[in-house]
């Protein structure tokens, strides 16, 4: 009997306007809208959210967007926004059919490697109170809750991880 190899996680940088990136960012925002309102998204609601919180700065020189593949399947994304000496993590998303297979951990490892390579000494992020799975993921991977460093209608918890 032979064991079947499990798919591996790989990440690649992409521009937010590339088709695969745009698709994942729309799926991410759709989930954020649905979870926030606890109902299906209304017509135009996801487009309005994408316009309110654009991702076009997740490309050089202001940021970075990584796409994750699980085997040969497009499976998730994560972005970094460069700040002076640190990076802000954003748009962490794994498609539902790939959850529980290590995608969140793979994305965090990849963005941490990118942030270190860019000279950042820490990563910070903010997240909503209802995203309990995300908060648990960050805590499992060494992100500690910190006082608020940003303001926004969807920022309820703030985390930081030192990279040095």
């Amino acid at each position: 009997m032979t064991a079947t190899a499990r798919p591996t996680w790989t990440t690649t940088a992409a521009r937010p306007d590339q088709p695969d990136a745009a698709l994942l960012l729309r799926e991410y925002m759709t989930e954020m809208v649905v979870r926030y309102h606890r109902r299906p998204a209304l017509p135009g609601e996801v487009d309005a959210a994408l316009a309110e919180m654009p991702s076009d700065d997740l490309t050089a020189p202001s940021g970075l967007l990584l796409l994750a593949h699980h085997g040969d399947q497009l499976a998730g994304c994560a972005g970094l926004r460069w700040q002076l000496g640190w990076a802000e993590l954003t748009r962490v998303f794994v498609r539902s059919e790939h959850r529980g297979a290590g995608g969140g951990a793979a994305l965090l490892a990849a963005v941490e490697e990118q942030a270190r390579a860019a000279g950042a000494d820490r990563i910070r992020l903010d997240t909503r109170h209802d995203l309990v799975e995300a908060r648990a993921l960050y805590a499992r991977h060494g992100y500690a809750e910190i006082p608020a460093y940003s303001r926004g209608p969807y920022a309820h918890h703030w985390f930081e991880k030192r990279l040095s």
Side-chain angles (χ1 to χ4, degrees):
M1 185 192 292
T2 59
T4 304
R6 298 178 92 181
T8 59
W9 287 92
T10 57
T11 58
T12 55
R15 293 184 50 82
D17 58 356
Q18 290 176 332
D20 283 349
L23 176 66
L24 283 172
L25 290 167
R26 175 169 283 283
E27 289 178 16
Y28 162 84
M29 195 60 71
T30 300
E31 183 167 324
M32 294 302 100
V33 167
V34 167
R35 287 187 65 163
Y36 183 77
H37 293 294
R38 291 183 240 152
R39 57 160 171 74
L42 300 175
E45 204 166 30
V46 173
D47 289 331
L50 286 165
E52 178 188 351
M53 295 175 288
S55 299
D56 55 350
D57 61 341
L58 299 179
T59 188
S62 57
L64 168 74
L65 180 66
L66 295 179
L67 302 186
H69 285 81
H70 192 209
D72 62 355
Q73 296 182 358
L74 185 63
C77 62
L80 289 174
R81 289 190 175 102
W82 305 124
Q83 308 296 332
L84 191 55
W86 58 282
E88 182 176 33
L89 181 61
T90 187
R91 308 297 190 261
V92 178
F93 174 72
V94 175
R95 284 177 156 172
S96 61
E97 62 269 27
H98 297 282
R99 292 179 187 162
L107 281 163
L108 290 179
V111 295
E112 289 167 13
E113 181 181 325
Q114 292 289 330
R116 276 188 201 94
D121 68 358
R122 65 193 181 277
I123 293 178
R124 287 181 168 178
L125 64 100
D126 63 47
T127 190
R128 294 188 337 219
H129 61 83
D130 61 318
L131 300 178
V132 293
E133 305 92 342
R135 293 188 354 241
L137 172 73
Y138 302 135
R140 272 195 316 275
H141 291 278
Y143 289 76
E145 285 212 51
I146 60 171
Y149 70 87
S150 64
R151 291 188 180 141
Y154 310 110
H156 305 120
H157 297 269
W158 297 262
F159 288 83
E160 177 178 273
K161 181 175 183 177
R162 295 269 175 191
L163 299 176
S164 48

